[in-house]
Amino acid sequence: MVFPFLTEGNQKYETLGYGGMLDTGVTLFNYLNLGTSAGFYAVPKQSSDKFGSTQAKNVFFVPFGLKAGGTYYPFSRIELRGALSAGASIAISGDALHYQPWYKAEAVVGFRINPSFSVGLSASWLDYQFDSWFGNSLMQGLTAGLSLTYRLDTKKSSGSVSATAEFDDNVFPVLYTIYKEESFGTVYVSNDETAEIRNVRVSLRSDGYTASEIECGVIPTLPKHATQSLPLIADFSEAILNFTENGQIPAEVVIEYDLLGQKRTAVSQIIIPVYNRNQMRWADPAVLASYVSTSSQEVLEFSKYLVGVSRRYLRTGLNRNMQFAMYVFEGMRLAGIQLDSEPATPYDSYHLDASILDYIQYPYQTMLYKSGDKDDLGVLFMSLLQSVGIKSSFIATADDFIVIFNTEIKAERAANFFNSDERYVVLDEENVWLPLSMKSLSEGFINSWYKAVEEINYATENEEDYYFVDIADAWTMYPPAGFTSSENVALEASEKTVSDAVETAIVRYITAEFGPQIAEVQKKIVEEGASVQLYNQLGMLYVRAGMYSSAIPVYQLAAKMGSIPAMNNLGNIASLQKNYQEALVWYKKVLELDPENATAKANLNRIESELEN
């Protein structure tokens, strides 16, 4: 239907005409339409006639030209089209002819019955000129009508959706937990359906190797014959840790989508390449944290045994974490675990090349083989420490793997436990951490400690590059794999042998760290004369060193000189030794001299409660 009311001097035409257009063309890039347009319109005249004929009732317009437009699909079955067309036209009225340019702007709202055929409503603006290009209309107006569209696809469609995959690298089993968020490749989804598809949801599954069907992503709309990529992620299960050699996993890419409002599912087969469970690259040294496990049964049993031994021999004056670490370290050594002198993938060269694959043992493997490279020993040692609540990190230097553990000694109190600030590392500007060389495992705790300090100082002074990784931080990116085995890998280290080795290490520690300070105070007593202050200072050094038998006579001398702190300390020592009656005597002496002494009051109440129980 044609409404020519916009024509200049619109009394030329009646209010309504009729006609139609036939458009043909091609669709490019799924949205752009280019083609030809031709048609026929009949518009009834009123009495006046510019052609000079009063006999003809209608003016017939026969336009032909070119058309360009676009199509948009806001919903599955709804299409919106817009187009501009122009060309030449013949106007016929009776025996009179006239030629003129014409222009048209059109909009269509259509409903797709199927991918090939749609019906809709159209509206347009028409302009047929008279002896001009613009500004002098022979007929101008609006149209409204019915639109029928048929699409012929020149490229054959299989009526399906498929997927292929490319992989950045083989999958590392030790990192299986991170692949739920970090992609290990790219999946390409191709639409060969008869129309665009919507709400395309892509997921991956593999029978026996995935714990769940995790979604890789969503494609809102995928045009026909188009391909779009998504990151490939998967929720792998622990079964992937069974790969002892390089292998492949058969998997399925599941594609759920809507086609013209109908839900459909397509499945494509892919093959995922997998490394063996022990392989990693040093591109990011933090990956090593995945091998550090506190949940494997072998680690828990051995660490529980060693800590149980340590609790029976703990010195209350010394740092607990340091003593626990001594028992774990000496327990590993005395259980027969040693450095492998000829590993297949030597740490010294492999950790310096991020492009090659290194072979790292899980803790249970090092316990089973009773040997490993420097990093293998470090992984086991850190696993044992973490399993008893001692935080650990590591430093990878050129030729050593150094484990450092948190003593939880505050940095400002470090002088109470160490003779020099070169003996430890302060992290987070808060706690004191001690380093231990895995290269020197066979030499015992103290030698390993001192050699680690030398190695760190040497690397720092010579500005050598080295890696530092905090295990707790690394676990946020690379969670522990927690791989264990059904094999019997129990380690044996007798309680007496371990406790004797630790006692030797403690004596060496006391001699090296407290000995110089004790000697200095003793020298002052000789040179300056006895005083309450010096006696208390000397007694405190003995207590910190766990040398209670040496501290008691020194505090007794200070107590004879009237020192209330010395009396309180004598009561404390007696209490630690469970000599409660003697402790009561000392606390009561303090209260006789200082009735308001809060320390003595609290301790006296505690001792009396102990005796009642």
Side-chain angles (χ1 to χ4, degrees), residues 361-375:
Q361 293 178 179
Y362 290 88
Y364 94 90
Q365 291 175 311
T366 304
M367 297 171 72
L368 177 65
Y369 308 145
K370 291 193 175 180
S371 69
D373 207 346
K374 297 164 189 173
D375 44 6

Side-chain angles (χ1 to χ4, degrees), residues 426-447:
V426 176
L427 297 182
D428 304 325
E429 299 181 353
E430 183 178 1
N431 289 328
V432 169
W433 294 59
L434 290 192
L436 293 168
S437 164
M438 294 299 101
K439 184 170 66 174
S440 304
L441 173 67
S442 62
E443 299 179 31
F445 184 91
I446 298 299
N447 284 356

Side-chain angles (χ1 to χ4, degrees), residues 7-28:
T7 308
E8 296 177 7
N10 55 19
Q11 69 277 7
K12 300 186 189 74
Y13 303 102
E14 298 291 346
T15 58
L16 181 65
Y18 58 92
M21 299 290 287
L22 175 65
D23 300 330
T24 63
V26 296
T27 299
L28 304 176

